[in-house]
Amino acid sequence: MPSLNPPIETLRTQWTNLYAHQLPSLAASHSSVQPHWPVHLDHCFARIILDNAIGIDVPWTAKVKAPAVKNMSGEQLEQCIKLGVGIAEGKEDLVELDRRSLEVRGKVGKGKKRALEGGDHEGVRKVVKAEELKQKGDEKENWEEVDRRAKKAKPGKEDLGQADIRALMSGSTTGKTAGAVPAELAHQRPSGSLTSEADDSPPPIDHAGNMKQLIATSADLTAYRKKVLLLLTQVPPGRYTSYAALSSFLHSSPRAVGNAMRNNPFAPTVPCHRVLAANGGIGGFGGDWGAEGKHAKEKTRLLREEGVKFDGKGKVVGQPFSKFV
């Protein structure tokens, strides 16, 4: 009699689609399935689900070797998918799950810890909400600083220098503003069909359509940032583009493109990691620049998984995508 258990590759696809696509998209659109969204990036959703479904009382890495998607058993994948679907359907409290994950990692802040010790889960939610508002305020301040410094630049050099871009991407500036964590850490994954035993599971999400609408109607983005982010939605998996290709289409500059992608609020559906340097180098990622950057290997790994090839010197193979419309 054939096994009723789905093939492990099917489970891996479902798990990847869930934490890398569906949950970040729900968070980006501020879906009402969760009262608050304390995280928005795919690796944060993976951390929360893995810690609660696999680690339980310890970080998940104490029980499963990284990368989790390749080393989890079929049963463990099913447990993670079940918990993730519960979050997507509003049956699981994301704030509480995040609190548990941070607690086992010893990262619960003082405000959260006090509320936790008193059994005040509503207090935890208030702290999370305050952190969300602060992060949004920091991002707004940073972009005001970017715009201010760009306007003061000399004619013909209206954009920030490369050193400035690196500093701003990492959240450090020469002024009074403080940076938020760059959303370029978010990653686009191959999509797959998410299934659930529940009859009321949410329908598949039109990621590109949703993101285009969110970008176009966002009151927090400048017109130029909207143009850059909308172009990124056109770069398909398995392809890459460059700062130069984007700026050529927009009649601007590579530096302006780099600035516009910083703190991308719609990652991972808007794939910042698919933008490389004109010379074939890895470009910027996670606040650092070049092959020696802290997150360069992660960016390369993500691109390789999508089908992008690199030569022995770490340079990308093939021509950049430039058929923008």
Side-chain angles (χ1 to χ4, degrees), residues 3-281:
S3 172
L4 297 179
N5 294 327
I8 194 164
E9 286 302 324
T10 299
L11 294 174
R12 286 171 177 166
T13 299
Q14 291 177 0
W15 160 240
T16 299
N17 183 64
L18 179 60
Y19 84 81
H21 286 293
Q22 185 168 8
L23 292 174
S25 291
L26 289 171
S29 63
H30 303 288
S31 170
S32 60
V33 297
Q34 293 289 332
H36 301 298
W37 292 91
V39 299
H40 293 76
L41 306 182
D42 62 343
H43 67 273
C44 293
F45 284 109
R47 182 258 304 168
I48 291 171
I49 295 172
L50 289 166
D51 280 352
N52 281 275
I54 306 301
I56 302 177
D57 55 354
V58 293
W60 67 268
T61 48
K63 296 187 177 181
V64 175
K65 183 180 179 181
V69 68
K70 294 183 179 180
N71 292 298
M72 283 193 288
S73 66
E75 181 180 357
Q76 289 173 324
L77 283 164
E78 288 178 337
Q79 291 172 346
C80 289
I81 291 170
K82 181 180 179 181
L83 181 57
V85 170
I87 295 171
E89 295 176 348
K91 296 177 179 178
E92 297 286 349
D93 187 336
L94 181 60
V95 169
E96 172 63 12
L97 293 172
D98 183 37
R99 194 245 343 140
R100 292 178 194 166
S101 172
L102 293 174
E103 183 183 14
V104 300
R105 292 167 178 263
K107 295 183 179 181
V108 178
K110 291 182 179 180
K112 292 181 182 176
K113 188 173 183 180
R114 284 195 295 268
L116 169 62
E117 291 173 346
D120 180 10
H121 289 180
E122 183 59 31
V124 174
R125 292 187 180 88
K126 289 180 180 179
V127 173
V128 169
K129 186 63 177 177
E131 291 173 348
E132 289 177 344
L133 293 173
K134 182 181 184 301
Q135 181 177 2
K136 290 179 180 178
D138 287 344
E139 289 185 12
K140 183 177 180 181
E141 284 187 11
N142 276 334
W143 276 106
E144 289 174 349
E145 173 71 2
V146 170
D147 292 339
R148 182 185 67 80
R149 294 170 67 184
K151 289 177 181 178
K152 291 177 65 177
K154 295 179 180 180
K157 295 184 179 180
E158 68 272 19
D159 307 301
L160 300 179
Q162 190 58 61
D164 291 329
I165 294 174
R166 296 177 193 171
L168 289 166
M169 285 180 69
S170 63
S172 61
T173 68
T174 56
K176 297 181 180 180
T177 56
V181 177
E184 284 86 341
L185 288 174
H187 315 311
Q188 186 81 5
R189 309 282 200 215
S191 61
S193 58
L194 174 64
T195 59
S196 169
E197 294 179 358
D199 294 333
D200 58 349
S201 59
I205 294 175
D206 176 8
H207 300 292
N210 280 0
M211 285 301 102
K212 288 178 181 178
Q213 182 178 7
L214 286 171
I215 293 169
T217 58
S218 175
D220 298 324
L221 298 175
T222 64
Y224 182 76
R225 287 194 73 193
K226 289 180 180 180
K227 290 179 181 179
V228 172
L229 297 179
L230 285 169
L231 287 183
L232 286 180
T233 65
Q234 299 181 32
V235 184
R239 297 294 305 276
Y240 79 94
T241 190
S242 66
Y243 302 96
L246 288 164
S247 64
S248 176
F249 183 85
L250 293 170
H251 304 289
S252 61
S253 74
R255 291 172 181 172
V257 169
N259 289 338
M261 290 194 301
R262 179 180 167 275
N263 286 333
N264 171 11
F266 303 113
T269 307
V270 179
C272 301
H273 68 278
R274 294 179 191 158
V275 183
L276 303 180
N279 65 358

